[in-house]
């Protein structure tokens, strides 16, 4: 899995997309301008093209350690020389192998995946925090809100489950029971229960968004963990429930944050859809939602039970 992460981020087009994302880049720039100072020793975990390390260097950090396990770090090294940036050192290795000669006052990172925790953010940051961060040191960003919002998809993006279809009189409804009783198809159909979506695929949110989970890297205790979440949501707009849209808010402080939901300015992150069978909801009723999350870092293990009142 680590190798996949390393290879994925070696592709320049991924970095083009991330650097062209003004919402993302501007929030990091503002946060680094505000929270990095002249005496700081900074680690940029996963430096990629070096952009965040360079922001910290330009802000006047005493020393910036830019680390990345991928070949993309050579781009960062080149850009530092081209731009006469000399207070950044480059370390091509996995963060767990990095041991600086001093305690670090700021860890900067952009380790959020489209499902928030799927790029090993918790594991990587907790490891660095516990080994090299000085007491009182800062993690930028440290706080996150996770959203799982009931949505209706635009009709052109909606694919019903097989058993929900009736095609020119061919009734497929019996397939639901058949698949449930057939171990091979049951496990195959689990993989179709979720998919990445673009925020633009969402027609509307059915409730007023509220986070299902708050998370703080300053206090996180372990690399991964299980959760159970219960929500009672008042339906604000009548419509068909096609599933829950996973997105998140990355919080630097009370003023600076990034949100990548369907109603927000488009960012370089996708959203993630956890599909449900189409269910008509009426404004004013209560949607009762129970999430079982055996592994917070692996969204494919998550499941949801939905009730109406
Ligand atoms: C989402 S990109 C961010 C790149 C850059 N910081 C930016 O904001 O444009 C994440 C980068 O972290 C690197 N990375 C991920 N996990 C790492 C780890 N544990 N140690 C070193 N590099 C890592 C990847 O190779 C990738 O270049």
């Amino acid at each position: 899995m680590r190798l996949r992460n390393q290879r994925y981020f070696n592709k320049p087009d991924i970095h083009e997309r991330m650097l062209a994302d003004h919402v993302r880049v501007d929030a990091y720039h503002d946060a680094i301008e505000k929270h990095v100072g002249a005496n700081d020793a900074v680690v940029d975990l996963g430096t990629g093209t070096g952009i965040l390390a360079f922001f910290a260097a330009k802000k006047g950090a005493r020393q910036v350690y830019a680390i990345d396990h991928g070949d993309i770090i050579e781009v960062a090294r080149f850009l530092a020389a081209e731009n006469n940036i000399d207070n950044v050192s480059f370390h091509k290795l996995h963060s767990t192998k990095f041991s600086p000669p001093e305690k670090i006052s700021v860890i900067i990172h952009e380790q959020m995946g489209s499902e928030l925790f799927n790029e090993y953010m918790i594991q990587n940051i907790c490891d660095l925090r516990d080994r090299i961060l000085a007491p009182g040191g800062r993690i930028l960003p440290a706080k996150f809100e996770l959203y799982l919002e009931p949505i209706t998809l635009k009709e052109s993006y909606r694919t019903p489950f097989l058993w929900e279809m009736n095609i020119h009189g061919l009734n497929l409804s019996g397939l639901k029971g058949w698949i449930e009783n057939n171990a091979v198809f049951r496990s195959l159909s689990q993989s179709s229960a979720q998919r990445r979506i673009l925020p633009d695929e969402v027609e509307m949110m059915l409730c007023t968004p509220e986070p299902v989970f708050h998370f703080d890297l300053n206090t996180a205790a372990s690399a991964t963990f299980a959760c159970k979440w219960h929500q009672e949501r008042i339906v604000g707009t009548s419509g068909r429930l096609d599933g829950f849209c996973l997105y998140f808010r990355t919080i630097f402080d009370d003023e600076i944050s990034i949100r990548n939901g369907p109603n927000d300015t488009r960012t370089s992150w996708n959203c993630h859809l956890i599909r449900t069978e189409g269910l008509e909801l009426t404004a004013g009723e209560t949607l009762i939602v129970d999430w079982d999350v055996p592994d917070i870092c692996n969204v494919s293990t998550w499941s949801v039970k939905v009730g109406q009142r």
Side-chain angles (χ1 to χ4, degrees), residues 5 9 24 46-47 51 68-69 93-95 110-111 124:
N5 177 290
F9 283 109
R24 186 188 87 98
T47 201
I51 185 77
D68 203 296
H69 57 172
L93 37 67
H94 192 267
S95 56
E110 200 279 68
Q111 295 261 292
N124 292 336

Side-chain angles (χ1 to χ4, degrees), residues 34-75:
K34 191 167 166 185
H35 294 288
V36 172
N39 285 326
D40 281 323
V42 176
V43 160
D44 177 17
L45 163 53
T47 201
T49 55
I51 185 77
L52 307 181
F54 301 151
F55 287 164
K58 286 193 175 254
K59 181 66 202 310
R62 180 170 52 73
Q63 178 63 39
V64 182
Y65 302 89
I67 61 181
D68 203 296
H69 57 172
D71 293 336
I72 192 73
I73 197 169
E74 301 309 333
V75 172

Side-chain angles (χ1 to χ4, degrees), residues 206-226:
L206 296 168
C207 298
T208 303
E210 74 183 48
V212 70
F213 184 58
H214 298 258
F215 185 73
D216 188 343
L217 284 168
N218 292 304
T219 51
S222 63
T224 190
F225 46 86

Side-chain angles (χ1 to χ4, degrees), residues 181-194:
N181 290 321
N182 183 311
V184 174
F185 279 92
R186 196 173 57 238
S187 83
L188 287 175
S189 71
Q190 271 158 11
S191 66
S192 70
Q194 302 185 4

Side-chain angles (χ1 to χ4, degrees), residues 160-167 170-182 185-186 189 277:
F161 287 102
L162 279 174
W163 55 86
E164 292 182 291
M165 298 187 200
N166 185 317
I167 304 168
L170 181 70
N171 175 10
L172 281 69
S173 62
L175 276 177
K176 186 174 183 187
W178 185 83
I179 288 174
E180 268 163 20
N181 290 321
N182 183 311
F185 279 92
R186 196 173 57 238
S189 71
E277 289 181 41

Side-chain angles (χ1 to χ4, degrees), residues 2 4-10 14-15 18-19 24-25 28 44-53 55 67-73 91-98 108-113 119-121 123-125 127-128 269:
R2 275 181 185 173
R4 203 169 68 193
N5 177 290
Q6 199 175 358
R7 280 199 294 262
Y8 176 76
F9 283 109
N10 278 340
I14 309 290
H15 292 274
M18 292 190 296
L19 294 184
R24 186 188 87 98
V25 170
Y28 272 91
D44 177 17
L45 163 53
T47 201
T49 55
I51 185 77
L52 307 181
F55 287 164
I67 61 181
D68 203 296
H69 57 172
D71 293 336
I72 192 73
I73 197 169
H91 308 265
K92 184 171 187 264
L93 37 67
H94 192 267
S95 56
T96 49
K97 303 271 186 291
F98 177 67
I108 299 170
H109 71 95
E110 200 279 68
Q111 295 261 292
M112 294 87 75
E119 286 180 11
Y120 315 106
M121 170 169 68
Q123 292 90 327
N124 292 336
I125 302 296
D127 165 65
L128 283 189
W269 286 279

